[in-house]
Amino acid sequence: MKGYEAIPELLRRGGTSTVFSMVGNTNVPWIGHGVKTGALRLVKTRHEETAVNAAEGFSRAAGEIPVCSVTQGPGFANALNGLVSATRTHVPLLFVVGESPATKVKTTMNLDQRALCEVAGAGFHHVAEASQLADRFGAALAAARWNGCPQVVSIADGVLTADVELPAEGLGSSPERLGVGTGSERGGATPDPAAVESTVDLLASARRPLILAGQGAILADCRAELAELATLTGAQTGTTLRANWFFSGRAGDLGLCGNWAPALVRKALAEVDVVFAVGASLNTWTTGDRQVFPAARFARVDVDPETVPTGADPDVSLFGDAQHVVRAVLDAWRARGLTNPKPVVARPTIAQVQESVRAVDVGHDPARGLDLREVFGVFDEHLPANRVVVTDAGRSLKTLPTLVSAESARQWLIGNSFGSIGRGLGIAIGAAAARPADPVVLFCGDGGFMMAAQDLDAVRLNGLSLTVVVTNDEQLGAEAKYVDQYDLPPEMIRQTLPDVAQLAGAFGGTGRVVRTREELAAAAAGAGPGLTVLDVRIDPQIDCAGALK
């Protein structure tokens, strides 16, 4: 077979079949062949960065590895922001691109893509000739599954049209030979027994332990094991921002921990004496440079021994797949005869935490617009239980992780990694492609919405359903503080949206402006299939993040 025929077959063997792309000259042949033969599903986007963002949303919502693909050079450059963001979030996906700098063809589209991957932190696998296709795709898929890092596959000129003979089955090289972790391809080697025993020592001696789940716990699918460990040790549970609602519905769950945690949660965290962190980097946003957990000792589980905690140096480090490690800790706990569940120290419930956030006076004036906390509360009340919640970045969204719930961490996707606004729409498109039976709702600011608004058309092109809630203060709200600080004209940051009814209508959807509580309740309850865009006018003079302090 030819190289362009081999790539869809390799993806099929690797268990991935969904491709997000704004197609170009270096990917049309293999994507087209895959679609023609039924091996691939193509989700079209209007911008290259959206292809990466949508692949991230699909990966996080479905728990599967998707593919995004753009053309070489400018396509890669346009996608770079999404690639950096997906790398910072540890999202397992494949990014397939044509080689650049090109070696066999004349082009103005040259760019040192390998060097940019190194800067972005993504894995890089170059297919110099057709005979390397199986090995390189096998290595990329294994690496993506191992540590949740995006992997770029660069395909040289001429490979697509060259003859290639694939192995009878599989993807060529084994993970072991390629230097990638083994055991479900996620570092499943037996954890250090001494570290396991030290972890049990910490948990057994703790008066107020906390089990903290991060993104790695989602990738390892170890909720059941962690919930069992929490029951046996009397630990409360909590999550980092990336794993929000991982323990949804569990008694004894504090919810979101870290810098975005409400004051009531932070008061409880200040009394925690042992933190068992699973798949969490313990960075400054989680630990607040030790201010969030001032009295705690830490045991930390990570798949990659080369990672170094940046916020709190753990007392114990355990390496390997999180599910495998947690099972080893459970076995060691039981081996000591500690089989009776310990009582959990009473702490605030999720409902109490939510009420504490709503009760803070932040100076809201209804004449100026809606209180953003009320907006979130109404949607939380009216959305179906199986909702998938997606966020963009921006100052207006900091109370959203607490006030809008989800049934699982794969149904609550935040898009603020790398601090880049405008990524939420792409992530929501990917989530809608991954979970067509579930209502997907994106919450974003007006600035981020307009940065990516052209990809509302991806909802139409792919027959998806998505509700977009634009929390509109008619300004770049994160910059409002600088207007006062430097005595600048307010017009610098003010901006209005176009007519959302006309805008949504142009993309085959419906839109409306929401100004009152009555309109808000009707809008939250009335979103149907297809595209819905809601321009929700919020009070521009308050920062609801103050309700967390």
Side-chain angles (χ1 to χ4, degrees):
M1 64 176 66
K2 298 295 186 181
Y4 72 87
E5 297 171 311
I7 294 174
E9 171 61 16
L10 290 170
L11 294 175
R12 184 195 67 79
R13 294 183 187 185
T16 184
S17 61
T18 302
V19 179
F20 297 87
S21 181
M22 181 176 175
V23 297
N25 62 312
T26 59
N27 59 19
V28 164
W30 67 264
I31 294 178
H33 181 75
V35 172
K36 179 181 177 181
T37 60
L40 297 179
R41 170 198 183 191
L42 171 63
V43 180
K44 301 175 182 178
T45 67
R46 289 295 193 179
H47 193 278
E48 291 93 344
E49 184 188 346
T50 304
V52 187
N53 295 337
E56 174 182 330
F58 184 96
S59 179
R60 292 169 64 189
E64 301 174 10
I65 295 183
V67 179
C68 58
S69 182
V70 301
T71 197
Q72 64 190 26
F76 185 92
N78 279 341
L80 187 58
N81 187 61
L83 181 61
V84 172
S85 299
T87 301
R88 299 282 179 91
T89 313
H90 292 280
V91 178
L93 59 83
L94 291 191
F95 183 120
V96 182
V97 65
E99 178 185 28
S100 184
T103 57
K104 299 178 182 177
V105 297
K106 292 181 180 180
T107 178
T108 60
M109 299 166 64
N110 279 331
L111 185 70
D112 191 343
Q113 294 172 173
R114 180 190 292 269
L116 288 174
C117 282
E118 292 178 0
V119 172
F124 187 85
H125 310 262
H126 183 53
V127 183
E129 54 188 50
S131 63
Q132 298 173 336
L133 271 170
D135 274 2
R136 298 298 185 268
F137 270 87
L141 279 165
R145 290 192 174 102
W146 175 55
N147 67 359
C149 183
Q151 303 293 314
V152 174
V153 180
S154 168
I155 300 177
D157 309 324
V159 167
L160 296 183
T161 55
D163 293 322
V164 57
E165 184 175 345
L166 294 182
E169 58 183 22
L171 290 168
S173 297
S174 67
E176 293 92 338
R177 189 164 76 78
L178 294 164
V180 175
T182 59
S184 301
E185 295 180 302
R186 296 203 70 250
T190 302
D192 177 22
V196 172
E197 293 297 333
S198 295
T199 300
V200 173
D201 289 340
L202 279 177
L203 291 171
S205 65
R207 294 178 299 105
R208 290 183 172 86
L210 174 77
I211 292 178
L212 180 69
Q215 171 80 353
I218 302 174
L219 295 176
D221 192 21
C222 61
R223 184 189 188 279
E225 289 81 2
L226 287 175
E228 182 180 1
L229 184 62
T231 298
L232 289 174
T233 60
Q236 286 197 278
T237 55
T239 73
T240 68
L241 190 57
R242 300 280 171 255
N244 197 29
W245 297 102
F246 182 80
F247 294 107
S248 181
R250 183 185 180 277
D253 184 33
L254 281 171
L256 178 63
C257 302
N259 280 351
W260 281 19
L264 199 59
V265 174
R266 293 189 61 153
K267 182 179 179 181
L269 296 178
E271 299 178 2
V272 167
D273 57 349
V274 170
V275 176
F276 183 47
V278 180
S281 64
L282 299 179
N283 59 35
T284 185
W285 291 278
T286 300
T287 68
D289 296 324
R290 288 273 190 183
Q291 297 304 306
V292 175
F293 303 101
R297 293 176 293 170
F298 292 85
R300 175 177 176 267
V301 179
D302 198 285
V303 73
D304 190 351
E306 296 184 4
T307 61
V308 178
T310 55
D313 296 329
D315 298 83
V316 182
S317 293
L318 304 98
F319 296 108
D321 174 71
Q323 188 179 84
H324 190 88
V325 173
V326 175
R327 286 175 177 171
V329 173
L330 280 168
D331 289 343
W333 183 271
R334 295 191 193 96
R336 296 192 186 185
L338 303 173
T339 56
N340 294 323
K342 294 173 65 175
V344 178
V345 177
R347 284 290 177 265
T349 64
I350 294 294
Q352 289 171 332
V353 171
Q354 291 175 328
E355 179 56 33
S356 73
V357 172
R358 290 190 289 263
V360 176
D361 183 1
V362 293
H364 169 238
D365 182 349
R368 297 193 299 252
L370 291 163
D371 185 328
L372 192 55
R373 296 168 297 175
E374 181 179 23
V375 173
F376 295 154
V378 169
F379 274 96
D380 187 55
E381 177 184 354
H382 286 89
L383 288 173
N386 63 328
R387 85 286 295 267
V388 179
V389 179
V390 183
T391 85
D392 201 81
R395 71 154 186 164
S396 65
L397 301 173
K398 288 186 178 180
T399 58
L400 181 64
T402 295
L403 297 178
V404 181
S405 64
E407 292 182 322
S408 75
R410 291 205 179 277
Q411 292 167 259
W412 210 102
L413 312 178
I414 189 162
N416 75 332
S417 62
F418 197 41
S420 173
I421 66 171
R423 298 184 61 245
L425 180 57
I427 294 172
I429 289 167
R435 306 177 75 111
D438 298 333
V440 179
V441 181
L442 166 67
F443 292 90
C444 61
D446 47 310
F449 171 70
M450 288 307 299
M451 282 184 69
Q454 76 281 342
D455 263 298
L456 292 173
D457 203 35
V459 180
R460 178 188 68 85
L461 285 171
N462 300 291
L464 304 175
S465 290
L466 175 64
T467 296
V468 181
V469 180
V470 185
T471 55
N472 183 13
D473 59 3
E474 298 189 301
Q475 63 180 354
L476 293 172
E479 277 56 65
K481 59 186 178 184
Y482 300 114
V483 169
D484 295 333
Q485 181 179 349
Y486 294 100
D487 191 26
L488 301 174
E491 288 74 20
M492 284 192 63
I493 61 170
R494 286 180 182 162
Q495 55 189 19
T496 59
L497 286 184
D499 186 318
V500 295
Q502 293 188 23
L503 181 66
F507 295 113
T510 60
R512 61 188 293 187
V513 177
V514 176
R515 291 187 174 87
T516 67
R517 294 180 178 180
E518 294 73 23
E519 291 173 342
L520 179 63
L531 173 66
T532 302
V533 181
L534 303 175
D535 177 1
V536 180
R537 302 297 174 86
I538 61 173
D539 185 343
Q541 295 186 28
I542 61 171
D543 184 357
C544 284
L548 300 176
K549 299 177 180 178

Coordinates of all heavy atoms in Angstrom, one line a residue, residues 442-504:
L442 N -20.8 25.8 27.0 CA -19.6 26.6 27.1 C -19.9 27.9 27.8 O -20.8 28.6 27.4 CB -18.9 26.9 25.7 CG -17.8 27.9 25.7 CD1 -16.6 27.5 26.4 CD2 -17.5 28.3 24.2
F443 N -19.1 28.2 28.9 CA -19.1 29.5 29.5 C -17.9 30.2 29.1 O -16.7 29.8 29.4 CB -19.2 29.3 31.0 CG -20.5 28.7 31.5 CD1 -20.6 27.4 31.7 CD2 -21.6 29.6 31.8 CE1 -21.8 26.8 32.1 CE2 -22.8 29.0 32.3 CZ -22.9 27.6 32.4
C444 N -18.0 31.4 28.6 CA -16.8 32.2 28.1 C -17.1 33.7 28.3 O -18.3 34.1 28.3 CB -16.4 31.9 26.7 SG -17.7 32.2 25.5
G445 N -16.1 34.5 28.4 CA -16.2 35.9 28.3 C -16.4 36.4 26.9 O -16.2 35.7 25.9
D446 N -16.8 37.7 26.8 CA -17.1 38.2 25.5 C -15.8 38.4 24.6 O -15.8 38.2 23.4 CB -17.8 39.6 25.6 CG -17.2 40.5 26.6 OD1 -16.9 40.1 27.7 OD2 -16.9 41.7 26.2
G447 N -14.6 38.6 25.3 CA -13.4 38.8 24.6 C -12.9 37.4 24.0 O -12.6 37.3 22.8
G448 N -13.0 36.4 24.8 CA -12.6 35.1 24.3 C -13.5 34.5 23.3 O -13.1 33.9 22.3
F449 N -14.8 34.8 23.4 CA -15.8 34.4 22.4 C -15.5 34.9 21.1 O -15.5 34.2 20.1 CB -17.2 34.8 22.9 CG -18.3 34.6 21.9 CD1 -18.7 33.3 21.5 CD2 -18.8 35.7 21.2 CE1 -19.7 33.1 20.6 CE2 -19.8 35.5 20.3 CZ -20.2 34.2 19.9
M450 N -15.2 36.2 21.0 CA -15.0 36.8 19.7 C -13.6 36.4 19.0 O -13.5 36.4 17.8 CB -15.1 38.4 19.8 CG -16.5 38.9 20.0 SD -17.7 38.3 18.8 CE -17.0 38.9 17.2
M451 N -12.7 36.0 19.9 CA -11.4 35.5 19.3 C -11.6 34.3 18.5 O -10.8 34.0 17.5 CB -10.4 35.2 20.4 CG -9.8 36.5 21.0 SD -8.5 36.0 22.3 CE -7.3 35.3 21.2
A452 N -12.6 33.5 18.8 CA -12.7 32.2 18.1 C -14.1 32.1 17.4 O -14.4 31.0 17.0 CB -12.6 31.1 19.1
A453 N -14.8 33.1 17.3 CA -16.2 33.1 16.8 C -16.4 32.4 15.4 O -17.4 31.9 15.1 CB -16.9 34.4 16.9
Q454 N -15.3 32.5 14.6 CA -15.5 31.9 13.3 C -15.8 30.4 13.4 O -16.4 29.8 12.5 CB -14.2 32.2 12.4 CG -13.0 31.3 12.7 CD -12.3 31.8 14.0 OE1 -12.4 32.9 14.4 NE2 -11.4 30.9 14.5
D455 N -15.3 29.8 14.5 CA -15.5 28.3 14.6 C -16.9 27.9 15.1 O -17.1 26.8 15.4 CB -14.4 27.7 15.3 CG -13.4 27.1 14.4 OD1 -13.7 26.2 13.6 OD2 -12.2 27.6 14.4
L456 N -17.8 28.9 15.3 CA -19.2 28.5 15.5 C -19.6 27.7 14.2 O -20.5 26.9 14.3 CB -20.1 29.8 15.6 CG -19.9 30.6 16.9 CD1 -20.7 31.9 16.8 CD2 -20.3 29.8 18.1
D457 N -19.0 28.0 13.1 CA -19.3 27.3 11.9 C -19.0 25.8 12.0 O -19.6 25.0 11.3 CB -18.6 27.9 10.7 CG -19.4 27.6 9.4 OD1 -20.6 27.5 9.4 OD2 -18.7 27.5 8.4
A458 N -18.0 25.4 12.8 CA -17.7 24.0 13.0 C -18.9 23.3 13.6 O -19.0 22.1 13.3 CB -16.4 23.9 13.8
V459 N -19.7 23.9 14.4 CA -20.9 23.3 15.0 C -21.8 23.0 13.8 O -22.4 21.9 13.8 CB -21.5 24.2 16.0 CG1 -22.8 23.6 16.6 CG2 -20.6 24.6 17.1
R460 N -22.0 23.9 12.9 CA -22.9 23.7 11.7 C -22.3 22.6 10.8 O -23.0 21.7 10.4 CB -23.1 25.0 11.0 CG -24.0 24.9 9.7 CD -23.9 26.1 8.9 NE -22.6 26.4 8.3 CZ -22.2 25.9 7.2 NH1 -23.0 25.1 6.5 NH2 -21.0 26.2 6.7
L461 N -21.0 22.7 10.5 CA -20.4 21.8 9.5 C -20.5 20.4 9.9 O -20.6 19.5 9.1 CB -18.9 22.2 9.3 CG -18.7 23.5 8.5 CD1 -17.2 23.8 8.5 CD2 -19.1 23.3 7.0
N462 N -20.4 20.2 11.2 CA -20.3 18.8 11.7 C -21.6 18.3 12.4 O -21.6 17.2 13.0 CB -19.1 18.7 12.7 CG -17.8 19.1 12.1 OD1 -17.3 18.3 11.3 ND2 -17.2 20.2 12.5
G463 N -22.6 19.1 12.3 CA -23.9 18.7 12.8 C -23.9 18.4 14.3 O -24.5 17.5 14.9
L464 N -23.2 19.3 15.1 CA -23.1 19.2 16.5 C -24.1 20.0 17.3 O -24.8 20.9 16.6 CB -21.7 19.6 17.0 CG -20.5 18.9 16.3 CD1 -19.2 19.5 16.7 CD2 -20.5 17.4 16.6
S465 N -24.2 19.8 18.6 CA -25.1 20.6 19.4 C -24.2 21.3 20.5 O -23.4 20.6 21.1 CB -26.2 19.8 20.1 OG -27.1 19.4 19.1
L466 N -24.4 22.6 20.7 CA -23.6 23.3 21.6 C -24.3 24.6 22.1 O -24.9 25.3 21.2 CB -22.3 23.7 21.0 CG -21.3 24.6 21.9 CD1 -20.9 23.9 23.1 CD2 -20.1 25.0 21.0
T467 N -24.4 24.8 23.4 CA -24.9 26.1 23.9 C -23.7 26.9 24.4 O -22.9 26.4 25.2 CB -25.8 25.8 25.1 OG1 -27.0 25.1 24.6 CG2 -26.3 27.1 25.7
V468 N -23.6 28.2 23.9 CA -22.5 29.1 24.3 C -23.1 30.2 25.2 O -24.0 30.9 24.7 CB -21.9 29.7 23.1 CG1 -20.7 30.6 23.5 CG2 -21.3 28.6 22.1
V469 N -22.7 30.2 26.4 CA -23.1 31.3 27.3 C -22.0 32.3 27.4 O -20.9 32.1 28.0 CB -23.4 30.7 28.7 CG1 -23.8 31.8 29.7 CG2 -24.4 29.6 28.6
V470 N -22.2 33.5 26.8 CA -21.2 34.6 26.8 C -21.5 35.5 28.0 O -22.5 36.2 28.0 CB -21.3 35.4 25.5 CG1 -20.1 36.4 25.5 CG2 -21.2 34.4 24.3
T471 N -20.6 35.4 29.0 CA -20.8 36.3 30.2 C -20.2 37.7 29.8 O -19.0 37.9 29.9 CB -20.1 35.7 31.4 OG1 -18.7 35.5 31.1 CG2 -20.8 34.4 31.8
N472 N -21.1 38.6 29.4 CA -20.7 39.8 28.6 C -20.7 41.0 29.5 O -21.8 41.5 29.9 CB -21.7 39.9 27.5 CG -21.3 41.1 26.6 OD1 -20.2 41.7 26.7 ND2 -22.2 41.5 25.7
D473 N -19.5 41.5 29.9 CA -19.5 42.8 30.6 C -19.1 43.9 29.6 O -18.8 45.0 30.1 CB -18.5 42.7 31.8 CG -17.1 42.4 31.4 OD1 -16.8 42.2 30.1 OD2 -16.2 42.2 32.2
E474 N -19.1 43.6 28.3 CA -18.8 44.6 27.3 C -17.5 45.3 27.5 O -17.3 46.5 27.2 CB -20.0 45.6 27.2 CG -21.3 45.0 26.8 CD -22.4 46.0 26.5 OE1 -22.7 46.8 27.4 OE2 -22.9 45.9 25.4
Q475 N -16.5 44.6 28.0 CA -15.2 45.1 28.1 C -14.2 44.0 28.3 O -14.6 42.8 28.5 CB -15.1 46.0 29.4 CG -15.3 45.2 30.7 CD -15.3 46.1 31.9 OE1 -14.9 47.3 31.8 NE2 -15.6 45.5 33.1
L476 N -12.9 44.3 28.2 CA -11.9 43.3 28.5 C -11.7 43.4 30.0 O -10.8 44.2 30.5 CB -10.6 43.6 27.8 CG -10.6 43.4 26.2 CD1 -9.4 43.9 25.6 CD2 -10.9 42.0 25.9
G477 N -12.5 42.7 30.8 CA -12.6 42.9 32.2 C -11.3 42.6 33.0 O -11.1 43.3 34.0
A478 N -10.5 41.7 32.5 CA -9.2 41.5 33.2 C -8.3 42.7 33.2 O -7.4 42.8 34.1 CB -8.5 40.3 32.6
E479 N -8.5 43.6 32.3 CA -7.6 44.8 32.2 C -8.2 46.0 32.8 O -7.6 47.1 32.8 CB -7.4 45.1 30.7 CG -6.3 44.3 30.0 CD -6.4 42.8 30.2 OE1 -7.4 42.2 29.6 OE2 -5.6 42.2 30.8
A480 N -9.4 45.8 33.4 CA -10.1 47.0 34.1 C -9.2 47.6 35.1 O -9.2 48.9 35.3 CB -11.4 46.6 34.6
K481 N -8.5 46.8 35.9 CA -7.7 47.3 37.0 C -6.6 48.3 36.5 O -6.2 49.2 37.2 CB -7.1 46.2 37.8 CG -6.2 45.3 37.0 CD -5.7 44.1 37.8 CE -4.8 43.2 37.0 NZ -4.4 42.0 37.7
Y482 N -6.1 48.1 35.3 CA -5.1 49.0 34.8 C -5.6 50.3 34.3 O -4.9 51.3 34.4 CB -4.4 48.3 33.6 CG -3.8 47.0 33.9 CD1 -4.2 45.8 33.4 CD2 -2.7 46.9 34.8 CE1 -3.7 44.6 33.7 CE2 -2.1 45.7 35.2 CZ -2.6 44.5 34.6 OH -2.1 43.3 35.0
V483 N -6.9 50.4 34.0 CA -7.5 51.7 33.7 C -7.4 52.6 34.9 O -7.1 53.8 34.7 CB -8.9 51.5 33.2 CG1 -9.7 52.8 33.1 CG2 -9.0 50.8 31.8
D484 N -7.7 52.1 36.0 CA -7.7 52.9 37.2 C -6.2 53.1 37.7 O -5.9 54.2 38.1 CB -8.4 52.2 38.4 CG -9.9 52.1 38.1 OD1 -10.4 52.9 37.3 OD2 -10.6 51.1 38.6
Q485 N -5.4 52.1 37.6 CA -4.0 52.2 38.1 C -3.2 53.3 37.3 O -2.5 54.0 37.9 CB -3.3 50.9 37.9 CG -1.9 50.9 38.4 CD -1.2 49.5 38.3 OE1 -1.9 48.5 38.0 NE2 0.1 49.4 38.4
Y486 N -3.5 53.4 36.0 CA -2.7 54.3 35.2 C -3.5 55.5 34.7 O -3.1 56.2 33.8 CB -2.1 53.6 33.9 CG -1.1 52.5 34.3 CD1 -1.4 51.2 34.4 CD2 0.2 52.9 34.6 CE1 -0.5 50.2 34.7 CE2 1.2 51.9 35.0 CZ 0.8 50.6 35.0 OH 1.8 49.7 35.4
D487 N -4.7 55.7 35.3 CA -5.6 56.8 34.9 C -5.8 56.9 33.4 O -5.5 57.9 32.8 CB -5.0 58.1 35.5 CG -6.0 59.3 35.4 OD1 -7.2 59.0 35.4 OD2 -5.5 60.4 35.3
L488 N -6.3 55.8 32.8 CA -6.5 55.7 31.4 C -8.0 55.9 31.0 O -8.8 55.6 31.8 CB -6.0 54.3 30.9 CG -4.5 54.0 31.2 CD1 -4.2 52.6 30.8 CD2 -3.6 55.0 30.4
P489 N -8.2 56.2 29.8 CA -9.7 56.3 29.4 C -10.3 54.9 29.3 O -9.7 54.0 28.7 CB -9.6 56.9 28.0 CG -8.2 56.7 27.5 CD -7.3 56.7 28.7
P490 N -11.5 54.8 29.9 CA -12.1 53.5 30.0 C -12.4 52.9 28.6 O -12.6 51.7 28.4 CB -13.4 53.7 30.7 CG -13.1 55.0 31.5 CD -12.2 55.8 30.7
E491 N -12.6 53.8 27.6 CA -12.9 53.3 26.2 C -11.8 52.4 25.7 O -12.1 51.6 24.8 CB -13.0 54.5 25.3 CG -14.3 55.4 25.5 CD -14.1 56.2 26.8 OE1 -13.0 56.5 27.2 OE2 -15.2 56.7 27.3
M492 N -10.6 52.4 26.3 CA -9.6 51.5 25.8 C -10.0 50.0 25.9 O -9.6 49.2 25.0 CB -8.3 51.7 26.6 CG -7.5 53.0 26.3 SD -5.9 52.9 27.0 CE -5.2 51.5 26.2
I493 N -10.7 49.7 26.9 CA -11.0 48.3 27.1 C -12.5 47.9 26.8 O -12.9 46.8 26.9 CB -10.7 47.8 28.5 CG1 -11.5 48.6 29.5 CG2 -9.2 48.0 28.8 CD1 -11.4 48.1 31.0
R494 N -13.3 48.9 26.5 CA -14.7 48.7 26.2 C -14.9 48.1 24.8 O -14.2 48.6 23.8 CB -15.5 50.0 26.4 CG -15.7 50.3 27.9 CD -16.5 51.6 28.0 NE -16.6 52.0 29.5 CZ -16.9 53.2 29.9 NH1 -17.2 54.1 29.0 NH2 -17.0 53.4 31.2
Q495 N -15.8 47.2 24.7 CA -16.1 46.6 23.4 C -17.5 46.0 23.5 O -17.9 45.5 24.5 CB -15.1 45.6 23.0 CG -14.9 44.5 24.0 CD -13.7 43.6 23.6 OE1 -12.9 43.9 22.9 NE2 -13.8 42.4 24.2
T496 N -18.3 46.1 22.4 CA -19.6 45.5 22.4 C -19.6 44.3 21.4 O -18.8 44.2 20.5 CB -20.6 46.5 21.9 OG1 -20.3 47.0 20.6 CG2 -20.7 47.7 22.9
L497 N -20.5 43.4 21.7 CA -20.7 42.3 20.8 C -21.6 42.6 19.6 O -22.5 43.5 19.8 CB -21.4 41.1 21.5 CG -20.5 40.3 22.5 CD1 -21.4 39.1 23.1 CD2 -19.3 39.8 21.9
P498 N -21.5 42.0 18.5 CA -22.5 42.1 17.4 C -23.8 41.5 17.9 O -23.8 40.8 18.9 CB -21.8 41.4 16.3 CG -20.9 40.4 16.9 CD -20.4 41.0 18.1
D499 N -24.8 41.7 17.1 CA -26.1 41.1 17.4 C -26.0 39.6 17.4 O -25.7 39.0 16.4 CB -27.1 41.6 16.3 CG -28.5 41.1 16.6 OD1 -28.7 40.0 17.0 OD2 -29.4 41.9 16.4
V500 N -26.1 39.0 18.6 CA -25.9 37.5 18.6 C -27.0 36.7 17.9 O -26.7 35.6 17.5 CB -25.8 37.0 20.1 CG1 -24.6 37.6 20.8 CG2 -27.1 37.3 20.9
A501 N -28.2 37.3 17.8 CA -29.2 36.6 17.1 C -28.8 36.5 15.6 O -29.0 35.4 15.0 CB -30.6 37.3 17.2
Q502 N -28.3 37.6 15.0 CA -27.9 37.5 13.6 C -26.6 36.7 13.5 O -26.5 35.9 12.5 CB -27.6 38.9 13.1 CG -28.9 39.8 13.0 CD -28.6 41.1 12.3 OE1 -27.6 41.3 11.6 NE2 -29.4 42.1 12.6
L503 N -25.7 36.8 14.4 CA -24.5 36.0 14.4 C -24.7 34.5 14.4 O -24.3 33.8 13.6 CB -23.5 36.4 15.5 CG -22.2 35.8 15.6 CD1 -21.3 36.1 14.4 CD2 -21.5 36.1 16.9
A504 N -25.5 34.1 15.4 CA -25.8 32.7 15.5 C -26.6 32.2 14.3 O -26.4 31.1 13.8 CB -26.6 32.4 16.8

